[in-house]
Amino acid sequence: MSAARILMVLTSHDEMGNTGHKTGFWAEEFAAPYYTFLDAGCEITLATPKGGAAPIDPNSENEDAQTDATRRFYADDEARARIANTARLADMRAEEFDTVFYPGGHGPLWDLTDNQDSISLLEDFLRQQKPIASVCHAPTAFLNLKDEQGEFVIKGKKVAGFTNEEEAAVGLTDVVPHLLEDELKRRGAEYQKVEAFAPFAVVDGLVITGQNPASSEAVAEKLLDALKG
């Protein structure tokens, strides 16, 4: 089997609402899947809405947020160079890849929920019967996907994503543009969760989602399993 071609779509958004604090993608949610894919021999392309540098959430660089994968990333000049020079999302085509993975962090809530390039791309992946995956806040990119009948793709599907309880625990309930758990339910998803900050990933057809940073490796592994299937 030839190497799987995986597109990873990251946020370009780096402002936490009007708090003056920075955000972006969560380092672990990129690093754990990136190395899971890399070590499996996959070809990886990185893209963001604006292209160029993808912003890392500074909170994900704190010592208590570090994992083996993030430490590997910070020591990996090639990976860091790729994060500093991503492709433009509008230039990506589903037919050029086998699947797509969206890492979270709070940034996607702002720039990937209603992004038409992202929505069209994800809908193309599904039309081509290719799996789509996201973790933590990144399932926000799946909120407004429609199927050929005009129904929300996630309606009736088992999905996970950052919980209201977890958002409250990090003190951002009143800062984020929407609460992901509420919006997933509003679109008719069968929202699934486990205890706060525990690993949890769920597969329903072509849609693979995870609850929080600790779930990112599990989502990546389930995505690789889907590609083998």
Side-chain angles (χ1 to χ4, degrees), residues 77-92:
D77 290 342
E78 182 183 348
R80 290 175 68 83
R82 295 180 77 177
I83 282 292
N85 188 31
T86 66
R88 278 178 65 246
L89 183 56
D91 297 333
M92 300 297 103

Side-chain angles (χ1 to χ4, degrees), residues 35-85:
Y35 290 114
T36 298
F37 301 147
L38 195 70
D39 294 345
C42 302
E43 294 176 13
I44 304 166
T45 300
L46 308 183
T48 55
K50 293 180 180 176
I56 302 177
D57 187 317
N59 288 329
S60 73
E61 299 182 299
N62 292 340
E63 186 53 42
D64 62 359
Q66 300 318 302
T67 64
D68 288 346
T70 62
R71 284 186 278 271
R72 183 175 171 186
F73 168 63
Y74 293 125
D76 184 341
D77 290 342
E78 182 183 348
R80 290 175 68 83
R82 295 180 77 177
I83 282 292
N85 188 31

Side-chain angles (χ1 to χ4, degrees), residues 24-33 36 57 59-60 64-67 69-70 101-106 134-139 160-163 166-167 170 180 194-201 209-220:
F25 72 87
W26 196 259
E28 182 185 5
E29 295 173 37
F30 165 74
T36 298
D57 187 317
N59 288 329
S60 73
D64 62 359
Q66 300 318 302
T67 64
T70 62
F101 184 99
Y102 281 60
H106 283 87
S134 61
V135 67
C136 198
H137 289 91
F162 207 60
T163 68
E166 288 167 331
E167 203 67 81
V170 297
L180 184 56
V194 295
E195 64 184 276
F197 303 107
F200 181 62
T209 49
Q211 181 171 317
N212 48 37
S215 312
S216 48
E217 187 173 340
V219 175

Side-chain angles (χ1 to χ4, degrees), residues 14-203:
D14 69 352
E15 296 288 337
M16 186 70 82
N18 56 10
T19 62
H21 295 294
K22 291 294 187 182
T23 188
F25 72 87
W26 196 259
E28 182 185 5
E29 295 173 37
F30 165 74
Y34 177 80
Y35 290 114
T36 298
F37 301 147
L38 195 70
D39 294 345
C42 302
E43 294 176 13
I44 304 166
T45 300
L46 308 183
T48 55
K50 293 180 180 176
I56 302 177
D57 187 317
N59 288 329
S60 73
E61 299 182 299
N62 292 340
E63 186 53 42
D64 62 359
Q66 300 318 302
T67 64
D68 288 346
T70 62
R71 284 186 278 271
R72 183 175 171 186
F73 168 63
Y74 293 125
D76 184 341
D77 290 342
E78 182 183 348
R80 290 175 68 83
R82 295 180 77 177
I83 282 292
N85 188 31
T86 66
R88 278 178 65 246
L89 183 56
D91 297 333
M92 300 297 103
R93 299 289 175 265
E95 50 269 22
E96 296 173 4
F97 301 96
D98 298 303
T99 188
V100 61
F101 184 99
Y102 281 60
H106 283 87
L109 295 175
W110 277 274
D111 71 346
L112 289 170
T113 305
D114 300 308
N115 184 298
Q116 202 52 56
D117 293 324
S118 175
I119 289 169
S120 298
L121 182 70
L122 286 163
E123 289 175 347
D124 284 347
F125 271 101
L126 293 172
R127 267 193 290 275
Q128 295 169 29
Q129 292 297 301
K130 295 172 178 176
I132 62 174
S134 61
V135 67
C136 198
H137 289 91
T140 194
F142 297 176
L143 285 175
N144 296 316
L145 305 183
K146 299 276 184 76
D147 62 19
E148 276 142 4
Q149 288 71 47
E151 294 275 7
F152 286 118
V153 163
I154 59 173
K155 183 179 179 183
K157 279 215 177 327
K158 295 181 174 67
V159 294
F162 207 60
T163 68
N164 290 353
E165 179 188 357
E166 288 167 331
E167 203 67 81
V170 297
L172 293 169
T173 301
D174 297 327
V175 174
V176 293
H178 54 266
L179 292 171
L180 184 56
E181 176 178 338
D182 290 351
E183 294 303 316
L184 290 167
K185 290 175 178 174
R186 194 167 284 137
R187 283 157 181 76
E190 280 189 40
Y191 183 75
Q192 315 269 298
K193 63 181 175 181
V194 295
E195 64 184 276
F197 303 107
F200 181 62
V202 61
V203 180

